[in-house]
Amino acid sequence: MARGPGRAPRPRPGSRTGRNMSRHDRLMIFGRFPEAGRAKTRLAPALGPQAAADLYRAFLADTVSSARRLPEVHLEFWVETHPAAAHWIAGQYADLTLRWQADGGLGDRLRSAFESAFADGVSRAVALGSDHPTLPHVYLRQAFEALHDNDVVVGPTEDGGYYAIGIRRGGWSAAVEVFDDMPWSSPDLMPQTRARLAQLGIRVSELPSWYDVDRPKDLERLRGDVMSGSRTARVLQRISPGGAGSPTTD
């Protein structure tokens, strides 16, 4: 993500602000600052840049709302460094620990997040994307439950990627290779992840598949199954193709 005006803080990757660390389970939500022109750019041709950013802001809100239903799990929000991110997240999600993503590709950023979790003594860590606001909450609980008996858990997406990956502390030394030289943002990601885990001999569990909301064609499905009263549902009611509608202010 390109930086906006002003000077961004330059903490080391993985540095944090927020409440004390949990020593057991951690959910790491991966996202970005919802800036018009930078967030959900593939939806912008249908919605307009501001409406696309407003919708992504709603995705984040619903993802966090779902995650908060796991009171025993420590929540972190991993974002790319941005000058406005810390202030905005502190105002919107004061109960989440803010972490800055490492430089490099997605594999580098995921590896850094898991390294930070296990360095803090966490037993089970799950990284979750923020492009699937209708993901059933029960899948998050199932992810942590699966890590009692497996070293890795993966939630595949219908486009060939995955919406979540979790690792148990005892399996980290072997599982770290699952992030090396993978075809990120490709329909081959999940098949190659399965093959890599099998090659490494890692005990793995798969969650039910779900879908990302990345392109205009995904919006019709989203409108059909979004939960009434959710932030995403409210924003969808205000926007229309072409960018008409009222932007959100939170």
Side-chain angles (χ1 to χ4, degrees), residues 27-87:
L27 181 62
M28 305 177 293
I29 300 170
F30 268 62
R32 62 174 59 207
F33 180 71
E35 180 181 16
R38 300 292 182 183
K40 305 309 295 181
T41 55
R42 286 180 287 183
L43 293 179
L47 302 177
Q50 185 61 60
D54 291 341
L55 189 59
Y56 180 62
R57 192 185 305 254
F59 289 3
L60 290 175
D62 289 336
T63 299
V64 171
S65 178
S66 180
R68 283 174 174 152
R69 296 173 65 186
L70 298 172
E72 70 279 13
V73 174
H74 180 77
L75 304 182
E76 293 186 341
F77 194 7
W78 285 76
V79 299
E80 295 174 346
T81 305
H82 188 285
H87 176 75

Side-chain angles (χ1 to χ4, degrees), residues 89-106:
I89 291 169
Q92 295 294 316
Y93 305 111
D95 58 323
L96 270 65
T97 298
L98 169 63
R99 296 257 195 161
W100 302 115
Q101 293 182 18
D103 294 331
L106 182 55

Side-chain angles (χ1 to χ4, degrees), residues 39-53 55 213-220 222-223 235-236 238-245:
K40 305 309 295 181
T41 55
R42 286 180 287 183
L43 293 179
L47 302 177
Q50 185 61 60
L55 189 59
V213 181
D214 284 327
R215 296 176 172 83
K217 65 185 179 75
D218 301 323
L219 293 173
E220 182 176 356
L222 178 63
R223 291 181 187 274
V235 172
L236 283 172
R238 290 197 294 265
I239 63 177
S240 60

Side-chain angles (χ1 to χ4, degrees), residues 29-185:
I29 300 170
F30 268 62
R32 62 174 59 207
F33 180 71
E35 180 181 16
R38 300 292 182 183
K40 305 309 295 181
T41 55
R42 286 180 287 183
L43 293 179
L47 302 177
Q50 185 61 60
D54 291 341
L55 189 59
Y56 180 62
R57 192 185 305 254
F59 289 3
L60 290 175
D62 289 336
T63 299
V64 171
S65 178
S66 180
R68 283 174 174 152
R69 296 173 65 186
L70 298 172
E72 70 279 13
V73 174
H74 180 77
L75 304 182
E76 293 186 341
F77 194 7
W78 285 76
V79 299
E80 295 174 346
T81 305
H82 188 285
H87 176 75
W88 180 76
I89 291 169
Q92 295 294 316
Y93 305 111
D95 58 323
L96 270 65
T97 298
L98 169 63
R99 296 257 195 161
W100 302 115
Q101 293 182 18
D103 294 331
L106 182 55
D108 299 310
R109 289 177 271 151
L110 284 167
R111 183 186 300 107
S112 175
F114 280 101
E115 286 174 348
S116 295
F118 296 128
D120 287 338
V122 168
S123 299
R124 291 166 292 274
V126 174
L128 175 69
S130 51
D131 295 323
H132 29 74
T134 60
L135 183 74
H137 162 75
V138 67
Y139 292 1
L140 300 183
R141 185 168 296 282
Q142 289 173 1
F144 285 99
E145 291 174 348
L147 290 175
H148 286 282
D149 301 312
N150 299 275
D151 291 323
V152 173
V153 61
V154 186
T157 54
E158 295 175 3
D159 62 3
Y162 52 77
Y163 59 82
I165 184 166
I167 302 175
R168 180 165 63 176
R169 179 181 177 86
W172 172 238
S173 60
V176 65
E177 294 187 34
V178 78
F179 300 125
D180 294 342
D181 301 318
M182 299 302 285
W184 304 105
S185 302

